[in-house]
Amino acid sequence: MKNKYYEILLKEANKCLKTEDVPVSAIIVKDGKIISKGINNRNKKYKTINHAEIIAINKANKKLKNCFLYDCDLYVTLKPCEMCKKVINNARIKNVFYLLNKPNSKKEYDKTKYVNDNNKYSGDYQEILSNFFNKMR
């Protein structure tokens, strides 16, 4: 069964070449059935987050009408980047199977600075956040 998934992944990855996007594809499987597919189209759509994994996850969320993808497996051509790993974990995907690791020469971008700009609005936001979670529990 896995061979079928990998054949589909390779076919989908080739679609990226038309738009000069990195050829990455992903599929999500639940109960032995493919419920969604995604291909990398960052360049085509001019969207930073349009990685194959995230597109496949969004489609599966919509199909299952749930933000969690319990008991789903993700098959992807290339090992997910750090952004995708976080989304995959948040989606609660059970297993991730991939064909290749990223090349050693590929570096993660890590020059962005994160600054906690704690100011007079921080307390107001803390109250909004606390009220939200108190209502949920």
Side-chain angles (χ1 to χ4, degrees):
M1 186 62 106
K2 281 188 178 182
N3 286 344
K4 178 178 119 180
Y5 301 147
Y6 292 123
E7 288 173 12
I8 292 168
L9 282 175
L10 295 178
K11 183 179 175 185
E12 293 294 308
N14 275 310
K15 293 178 182 178
C16 299
L17 300 175
K18 295 175 188 170
T19 58
E20 297 182 0
D21 278 293
V22 177
V24 178
S25 62
I27 58 174
I28 295 180
V29 176
K30 183 174 175 71
D31 300 325
K33 295 181 182 176
I34 296 173
I35 61 169
S36 69
K37 299 178 191 176
I39 63 170
N40 183 20
N41 64 15
R42 289 172 22 140
N43 291 338
K44 180 180 179 184
K45 300 284 185 171
Y46 309 110
K47 291 186 178 182
T48 304
I49 63 169
N50 273 19
H51 289 207
E53 302 93 326
I54 293 176
I55 292 168
I57 288 168
N58 285 335
K59 288 178 178 179
N61 291 145
K62 188 174 181 178
K63 182 168 187 159
L64 298 178
K65 296 180 178 160
N66 195 329
C67 65
F68 299 119
L69 301 175
Y70 299 114
D71 298 321
C72 290
D73 293 328
L74 172 70
Y75 291 81
V76 63
T77 50
L78 194 61
K79 184 177 180 179
C81 70
E82 294 303 313
M83 174 183 70
C84 290
K85 286 180 186 177
K86 294 290 186 186
V87 174
I88 290 164
N89 290 339
N90 280 309
R92 313 293 199 268
I93 289 173
K94 188 175 182 179
N95 298 298
V96 177
F97 302 96
Y98 61 93
L99 291 173
L100 292 178
N101 285 314
K102 286 197 288 189
N104 290 335
S105 62
K106 177 72 173 157
K107 301 271 187 204
E108 292 286 334
Y109 183 85
D110 64 355
K111 296 182 188 214
T112 302
K113 289 184 183 179
Y114 291 85
V115 179
N116 182 342
D117 199 16
N118 194 5
N119 60 42
K120 68 179 187 173
Y121 299 103
S122 300
D124 295 338
Y125 177 62
Q126 179 63 50
E127 185 177 341
I128 291 168
L129 197 59
S130 294
N131 288 340
F132 171 79
F133 283 111
N134 286 337
K135 287 180 186 177
M136 298 298 290
R137 296 184 176 123

